[in-house]
Amino acid sequence: MLWIKNGIVVDPKNKINLEKMDIFVKNGKIVPESEIKKGDCKVIDASGKLVVAGGVDMHAHIAGGKINTGRTMRPEEMRVVRNIAGKFRASVGRVLLTAPAIGYEYAKMGYTTSFEAATPPVSSLHTHEELDSIPMIDKAALPVFGNWHLVFKCIEEKNIEKLKALVAWAIERSKGFGVKVVNPGGVEAWMYGGNVKNLDDQVPGFGVTPREIITWLIRANEELGLPHSVHLHCNNLGVPGNYQTTIESIKLAKGFKNEKRQVLHVTHVQFNAYSGSSWRDFGSGAAEIAKLVNSMDNVTIDMGQPIFGHATAMTGDAPFQFTLHKLLGARWSNKDTEVETGAGIVPIGYLPNNPVHAVQWAIGLELGLLTESDKVALTTDYPNGGPFTEYPYIMAMLMSKKMREGELKKVHQYVQKATNLPSIDVEKTLYEVIHMTRSLPARILGLENKGHLGIGADADIAIYNLNPLETDFSNGFEKVYKAFKVAEFTIKGGEVIVRNGELLKEVYGRTFWVDARKKVDLEVVMQDVKNYFQYYSLQLSNYGVEERWLKKPERLEVV
Amino acid sequence: MQDIVCTFCGSVCDDGEYDLKKKSVKKFCKLGSSKFAEKERIKAPMIDGKEVSYEEAIDKAVEILVNAKRPLLYGWASTANEAIRLGVILAEKLGGVYDQCASVCHAPGTLATIEEGVPGGTLGSVKNRADVVVFWGSNPMEAHPRHGMRYSISAKGLLVKDRKQRKVIVVDVRPTKTAKIADIFIQIKPGYDYAIFSALRAIISGNADAVPSEVGGVAKEKLIELADIMKNAKYGAILYGLGVTQSRGRDRNVENAIKLVQLLNRTTRWIIWPMRGHYNVVGAGEVPAWEVGYQYAIDFSRGYPRFSPAEFSAVEVLKRRDCDAALIVASDPVAHFPRIAVQHLKRIPVIQIDPYPNMTTLVAKIVIPSAVYGIEAEGTAYRMDCIPLRLKKIIETNYWTDEKILEEMLRRVEKFKG
């Protein structure tokens, strides 16, 4: 039992803003005062300190074939030693981290949940093995659907029942959490050396278009009532002028409605918010996208903020990765995966004095500032935009125009012309930023017990050495940044795992997966699956992941 | 039992049928079937040739390991990921060296990946799409007997429906069994892979003029013909073997081949992938990559992982006499390492964990027999193309699994180290 005393609480889900109050924890949950015996409690004095829910990262590449190929390809990333073996595991990594380092670094920062943003269903056992090796945090993985032949076939047939059954089956088999869509149709086109350029291009070999893939998957997702919405990485990622494709894709959500959450989440939008027709007249389309998202009540986005320094591009968007390889002359890994999907990995770096990189950096911030705080979550699309360990930098930047002015002086001045960032006066409040890093991502993912401190919530709590009542967020940004970098206390499931940025206890979190099988008749699709398995290189019976193989699975049943 | 997963070679066929009465398997090749047939086993744990209990053997092994200054933990290619993970953590806790079979096999491909990345794909991509397959310095008909039928030669795919629609090319220094069934066989002089990759790159990039009339024993016309086939392929695959990684040039050969594939992808689609040997040698590299950041040749003597193949691969460590104990899991270095390395293995206490007796058993102070994954034990393995497959337990056994043995070791080591 835990009694967190006198903290200054910000808990946007429960509309608590800067209230001095006590939090009580029992059996890993937040409970009312009446349920605990104060004498038996371990007491944490949080006087003058900020108490919030543990951070929720809704989109990061933390486990599976992509990040592991990145590690193999980039031993230079592993030269940064973060922890020497002893009571805790050795942990290393600059931006790409080892599995233990991922868990430790999230925990040190007060984050307690992270979602792997893309796993090919056929490789999900690998993804889960890595997730199981990440200590400290709760996690889950999103299987990819946007280039899978079986998905195309259901859509070609215009058979929603089949598509729903396939989605429910595949999420169960991969022990996944929701429906990720990466460059719909484009990765299949890459198998022929191509890509798709707009929503109405036909996918080679199939009578479907990206527009249909997105729309049908939203429909299937909504009829199944999955906790999370379709999670879309748009077409034309990384291409100047792509903001228009993003706008068209966002509009596909019109006509769908869900009481609890968005029906479409568009991810790492920074990479899809470019205006212009080439890298010469490249600029920001962030304002237009933010305006559209603000005008709709069923779409959310996350930033995909670049951080200056090293990064590694890794996505299921294989044709984009090849383009990046050609553009940068950098190393390139590619993985065409059965008849399901593909992937690519390319090292990159963001340089402040490079006009393109400076504009990308500004676009991420524009999205964060111009989009309503209830619709934009904070991410770097780790490790594509850079490390998740710099989330505090983004938080501080969103809250301080003065900090942005200082940073703007250090970057290529092309941003003055190509983006609106210099003229944006918005300063997000602490309440908003806590929402963007806790309660909002939890709501977007459909995690009811995460991202807040209400009764019944998981006791994942971060306490920062920052008195928000006495802090000037506009001018005191350095202090704010430092305070969020290192949690004074990180509490996971009711246990103190970090104290003053030092690891205290190693714990292993749960892996959430969604079971929607009761919502469908699997038989409507199984014959098609069986027939199509002749094109796989393994047996259907050996496809998928059993719950008992996982360390701490937690099934969320959709009924 | 149906759809048994084979734990012999890197093809990891998963369609075997096991007959419990006959204790034999159907559908697998000779190599796979022999693995599933009854074989001589190590009967019981032994210390200095004397039979002991598992507990006694493990206690003694742990005593040796914790008292060693720098133990070498080597092998891992023929066990499951669960055991490999514990092995990596054990090496970390002991301040030892972790190395695996790739360091004497396909590791040059890892070094090439560090230089250039690896543009690859799964075997299902080859099966469905590849209209041109080049086996370069690899001989699947003998080393991976069902590879051709399941994935790469006569496999029936979505776009390439049968053998007739697929052009199979073998590049090798001798006419192998695979060369005999190929459409084109190009015999090259040993050690000239690099030069030939360079010649192909020159021709494809429009610099055929720079190529002499003969390269590595192959006439220029023949190289131009090969380059044309490659350029005109819709989806090609280079599947390379030890002929590329263990001949003159090693990682540079693979690197050059990758550059050729990068070039080809500017006009069509090509992938390149190694024909990995042991059934889970991929896991032996992938698991340490996520646990500690590197695939092989990892030293923990400073409390954090350091990667340096020229220093920390097993052969180099042994040659330098830079380890004072060795834990060998699912491998036979005594049979495969250079004599000078084996000599040091004879000098130091060796602990072996393996289901079967082999040459290494003869030098081992402690021998701990284990269950066979895929037959007596369940676990995860990665096929040569990284596709994960779950190995099945078909029959009961009294042997402990590698995982259980290593778990017990780790528990005791943690107690010692505090």
Side-chain angles (χ1 to χ4, degrees):
Chain A
M1 278 187 284
L2 209 58
W3 176 10
I4 301 167
K5 232 176 167 172
N6 290 328
I8 300 156
V9 175
V10 176
D11 182 12
K13 184 177 177 181
N14 298 301
K15 307 270 182 293
I16 292 166
N17 191 12
L18 301 172
E19 277 178 42
K20 192 186 255 193
M21 58 192 281
D22 293 357
I23 304 274
F24 304 97
V25 173
K26 191 174 143 187
N27 299 331
K29 296 275 180 191
I30 291 172
V31 295
E33 189 172 349
S34 58
E35 277 193 32
I36 56 129
K37 275 192 211 145
K38 282 189 176 163
D40 298 345
C41 278
K42 180 183 153 71
V43 180
I44 293 177
D45 180 9
S47 307
K49 284 168 187 159
L50 174 66
V51 177
V52 296
V56 177
D57 194 345
M58 60 162 303
H59 185 112
H61 300 273
I62 53 172
K66 285 194 297 298
I67 186 169
N68 222 31
T69 302
R71 293 177 184 119
T72 299
M73 188 166 91
R74 305 198 69 186
E76 73 274 19
E77 279 283 309
M78 299 300 156
R79 300 290 188 227
V80 176
V81 179
R82 292 172 180 270
N83 195 56
I84 305 270
K87 187 180 169 197
F88 295 91
R89 293 286 310 280
S91 89
V92 298
R94 181 170 62 190
V95 175
L96 290 180
L97 306 173
T98 57
I102 288 171
Y104 293 165
E105 295 305 316
Y106 269 125
K108 285 185 200 167
M109 206 172 56
Y111 266 64
T112 47
T113 304
S114 180
F115 271 45
E116 162 56 46
T119 179
V122 70
S123 306
S124 47
L125 179 52
H126 176 172
T127 307
H128 280 293
E129 281 195 287
E130 286 198 35
L131 287 177
D132 273 354
S133 292
I134 298 175
M136 313 309 243
I137 58 172
D138 285 335
K139 49 240 166 176
L142 300 174
V144 292
F145 285 88
N147 290 281
W148 194 356
H149 287 193
L150 280 163
V151 170
F152 295 162
K153 289 181 90 68
C154 295
I155 298 171
E156 262 181 342
E157 286 178 27
K158 305 211 177 303
N159 191 332
I160 191 71
E161 292 309 317
K162 257 191 196 176
L163 183 61
K164 279 157 62 182
L166 178 70
V167 168
W169 173 77
I171 292 180
E172 183 279 322
R173 282 290 75 206
S174 54
K175 294 296 173 284
F177 193 86
V179 177
K180 176 76 184 296
V181 181
V182 177
N183 185 6
V187 183
E188 176 58 20
W190 164 244
M191 302 304 161
Y192 304 83
N195 199 346
V196 293
K197 293 214 157 39
N198 75 66
L199 290 183
D200 295 312
D201 283 355
Q202 193 164 319
V203 180
F206 293 89
V208 296
T209 62
R211 181 187 302 279
E212 289 169 325
I213 299 167
I214 299 166
T215 316
W216 279 78
L217 283 169
I218 296 178
R219 194 178 151 198
N221 194 97
E222 293 312 300
E223 289 188 18
L224 284 168
L226 301 179
H228 184 36
S229 68
V230 163
H231 189 123
L232 176 66
H233 156 141
C234 288
N235 300 106
N236 282 332
L237 179 132
V239 179
N242 62 11
Y243 83 96
Q244 279 166 328
T245 311
T246 309
I247 280 180
E248 271 186 78
S249 306
I250 290 171
K251 285 181 181 164
L252 297 177
K254 287 187 174 166
F256 294 100
K257 183 108 198 91
N258 188 310
E259 293 300 318
K260 284 189 177 165
R261 54 152 173 80
Q262 77 291 346
V263 296
L264 176 65
H265 178 79
V266 184
T267 191
H268 46 64
V269 173
Q270 176 275 129
F271 294 108
N272 285 80
Y274 306 152
S275 65
S277 55
S278 75
W279 296 113
R280 284 170 189 279
D281 63 350
F282 170 73
S284 169
E288 285 82 353
I289 292 174
K291 199 172 146 197
L292 176 65
V293 172
N294 290 344
S295 75
M296 293 170 73
D297 60 359
N298 57 357
V299 173
T300 53
I301 63 172
D302 65 86
M303 292 164 72
Q305 174 66 37
I307 302 293
F308 291 122
H310 294 280
T312 305
M314 54 180 68
T315 73
D317 196 340
F320 163 71
Q321 297 289 345
F322 181 64
T323 306
L324 197 59
H325 153 69
K326 284 193 294 183
L327 194 68
L328 304 175
R331 286 169 271 180
W332 167 55
S333 288
N334 175 79
K335 195 68 171 287
D336 300 338
T337 305
E338 304 289 296
V339 285
E340 279 186 4
T341 185
I345 304 116
V346 175
I348 46 170
Y350 297 99
L351 307 169
N353 55 4
N354 174 309
V356 170
H357 298 167
V359 169
Q360 290 183 298
W361 167 85
I363 291 174
L365 292 164
E366 281 185 277
L367 288 164
L369 292 163
L370 298 176
T371 311
E372 289 166 15
S373 306
D374 198 34
K375 291 173 183 169
V376 57
L378 193 151
T379 66
T380 56
D381 185 17
Y382 170 78
N384 286 283
F388 59 78
T389 49
E390 284 303 316
Y391 286 175
Y393 168 83
I394 308 171
M395 295 166 81
M397 286 284 274
L398 293 174
M399 290 190 280
S400 168
K401 179 158 171 38
K402 196 170 171 193
M403 181 177 178
R404 296 200 296 271
E405 281 167 354
E407 294 292 293
L408 269 165
K409 285 187 194 139
K410 299 182 203 160
V411 308
H412 196 285
Q413 290 308 299
Y414 182 61
V415 290
Q416 302 285 347
K417 192 171 101 184
T419 79
N420 295 318
L421 185 65
S423 63
I424 297 175
D425 294 325
V426 177
E427 289 187 330
K428 298 264 179 186
T429 62
L430 177 66
Y431 184 84
E432 288 174 297
V433 168
I434 294 302
H435 184 47
M436 289 166 73
T437 51
R438 270 88 182 162
S439 33
L440 176 66
R443 189 188 75 205
I444 292 173
L445 292 168
L447 295 172
E448 289 181 359
N449 298 326
K450 296 286 181 199
H452 71 105
L453 298 172
I455 303 301
D458 291 342
D460 297 350
I461 305 164
I463 303 175
Y464 295 103
N465 189 8
L466 183 77
N467 186 337
L469 300 171
E470 290 170 5
T471 302
D472 173 353
F473 288 89
S474 296
N475 294 304
F477 50 84
E478 277 173 22
K479 197 176 138 202
V480 172
Y481 168 72
K482 275 190 194 144
F484 281 118
K485 266 299 247 194
V486 176
E488 177 136 326
F489 289 91
T490 304
I491 297 157
K492 175 81 193 63
E495 292 186 272
V496 180
I497 56 170
V498 167
R499 175 88 206 261
N500 289 328
E502 297 288 325
L503 303 169
L504 221 58
K505 184 172 186 202
E506 184 165 277
V507 296
Y508 279 87
R510 293 163 290 170
T511 300
F512 301 113
W513 70 278
V514 168
D515 188 351
R517 286 176 293 177
K518 277 206 182 137
K519 299 280 282 190
V520 296
D521 176 9
L522 287 180
E523 284 314 305
V524 301
V525 79
M526 283 323 289
Q527 197 52 50
D528 291 59
V529 171
K530 277 176 199 154
N531 291 343
Y532 215 75
F533 248 76
Q534 64 178 302
Y535 302 124
Y536 271 83
S537 59
L538 66 161
Q539 302 295 105
L540 178 57
S541 69
N542 288 321
Y543 184 89
V545 180
E546 298 302 330
E547 199 171 27
R548 67 182 174 86
W549 305 342
L550 305 186
K551 195 176 258 167
K552 264 180 151 182
E554 183 160 316
R555 187 172 73 115
L556 304 179
E557 189 167 30
V558 182
V559 286
Chain B
M1 265 178 95
Q2 302 283 321
D3 296 343
I4 298 303
V5 182
C6 184
T7 48
F8 190 84
C9 85
S11 287
V12 196
C13 301
D14 70 329
D15 59 346
E17 288 170 20
Y18 192 82
D19 188 326
L20 278 166
K21 275 186 200 143
K22 289 191 199 153
K23 289 199 172 177
S24 70
V25 70
K26 270 194 247 170
K27 284 199 178 172
F28 287 167
C29 68
K30 267 189 190 164
L31 302 173
S33 303
S34 76
K35 172 122 192 190
F36 282 74
E38 282 192 280
K39 277 203 294 199
E40 190 201 346
R41 298 287 290 271
I42 301 169
K43 277 212 306 243
M46 290 182 287
I47 299 174
D48 295 324
K50 246 178 55 195
E51 287 191 14
V52 295
S53 70
Y54 269 104
E55 285 81 2
E56 284 169 297
I58 289 170
D59 282 340
K60 183 73 190 164
V62 167
E63 189 192 314
I64 290 169
L65 290 171
V66 294
N67 288 314
K69 281 193 188 125
R70 184 193 251 176
L72 168 68
L73 286 76
Y74 175 82
W76 313 106
S78 294
T79 185
N81 285 354
E82 289 78 1
I84 295 166
R85 177 166 185 266
L86 293 167
V88 174
I89 298 173
L90 197 58
E92 183 184 303
K93 296 265 180 233
L94 291 166
V97 170
Y98 173 93
D99 192 35
Q100 43 111 349
C101 303
S103 73
V104 290
C105 192
H106 262 291
T110 305
L111 295 179
T113 299
I114 292 168
E115 291 290 332
E116 289 297 334
V118 57
T122 66
L123 293 171
S125 311
V126 176
K127 161 180 161 161
N128 287 306
R129 302 180 194 276
D131 55 346
V132 178
V133 175
V134 181
F135 292 103
W136 200 304
S138 64
N139 180 15
M141 291 310 286
E142 281 178 289
H144 304 90
R146 294 181 78 222
H147 194 283
M149 165 202 143
R150 281 172 61 82
Y151 315 120
S152 57
I153 300 174
S154 53
K156 292 181 171 52
L158 177 69
L159 301 174
V160 179
K161 302 213 183 298
D162 56 27
R163 175 69 182 87
K164 278 179 235 142
Q165 296 182 6
R166 183 176 283 128
K167 193 160 265 165
V168 176
I169 300 167
V170 169
V171 182
D172 215 318
V173 295
R174 66 181 81 80
T176 60
K177 221 171 156 186
T178 311
K180 289 201 182 87
I181 59 158
D183 299 298
I184 298 172
F185 170 53
I186 296 172
Q187 187 160 0
I188 66 171
K189 279 203 275 188
Y192 279 83
D193 303 77
Y194 188 94
I196 291 169
F197 287 127
S198 292
L200 289 169
R201 284 173 63 197
I203 295 164
I204 289 164
S205 58
N207 298 303
D209 299 352
V211 176
S213 61
E214 179 246 289
V215 181
V218 186
K220 184 175 180 180
E221 296 72 49
K222 195 125 194 199
L223 290 170
I224 290 173
E225 188 196 333
L226 177 58
D228 273 343
I229 294 171
M230 290 182 127
K231 269 196 300 191
N232 293 319
K234 287 198 186 85
Y235 189 104
I238 295 176
L239 303 174
Y240 68 91
L242 296 187
V244 178
T245 61
Q246 297 297 330
S247 65
R248 185 175 66 159
R250 289 171 182 252
D251 48 306
R252 297 298 175 198
N253 296 337
V254 185
E255 192 186 319
N256 212 4
I258 291 172
K259 283 183 171 160
L260 171 64
V261 170
Q262 289 174 354
L263 180 66
L264 285 162
N265 273 293
R266 276 154 173 79
T267 49
T268 182
R269 280 308 315 282
W270 272 80
I271 60 167
I272 180 166
W273 203 258
M275 299 282 280
R276 306 299 298 269
H278 294 293
Y279 78 86
N280 196 29
V281 69
V282 173
E286 291 288 317
V287 175
W290 80 62
E291 289 294 337
V292 297
Y294 309 110
Q295 291 233 352
Y296 71 106
I298 310 162
D299 169 69
F300 292 97
S301 61
R302 292 187 183 172
Y304 58 87
R306 290 186 299 162
F307 168 63
S308 181
E311 286 176 276
F312 307 132
S313 57
V315 171
E316 298 302 324
V317 169
L318 289 166
K319 267 163 72 178
R320 270 200 327 273
R321 304 185 182 190
D322 207 4
C323 59
D324 51 356
L327 173 67
I328 309 294
V329 180
S331 182
D332 190 7
V334 172
H336 298 111
F337 278 8
R339 189 188 299 172
I340 181 175
V342 174
Q343 273 167 359
H344 190 62
L345 274 177
K346 287 179 182 165
R347 265 181 228 122
I348 59 176
V350 171
I351 302 148
Q352 182 190 35
I353 305 176
D354 207 301
Y356 309 109
N358 58 28
M359 297 280 281
T360 302
T361 317
L362 302 175
V363 308
K365 181 174 176 63
I366 302 176
V367 179
I368 308 176
S370 61
V372 184
Y373 279 101
I375 303 173
E376 300 161 342
E378 209 186 328
T380 303
Y382 295 167
R383 203 169 68 185
M384 64 165 74
D385 56 349
C386 286
I387 293 286
L389 284 157
R390 189 75 181 176
L391 312 171
K392 290 172 187 163
K393 179 176 177 172
I394 311 168
I395 52 178
E396 288 300 326
T397 181
N398 291 324
Y399 287 112
W400 289 19
T401 62
D402 293 345
E403 187 184 353
K404 184 174 175 187
I405 295 164
L406 289 159
E407 210 167 23
E408 288 299 314
M409 283 187 171
L410 185 60
R411 207 165 54 83
R412 286 162 167 81
V413 167
E414 276 171 346
K415 223 192 248 168
F416 266 105
K417 299 255 164 186

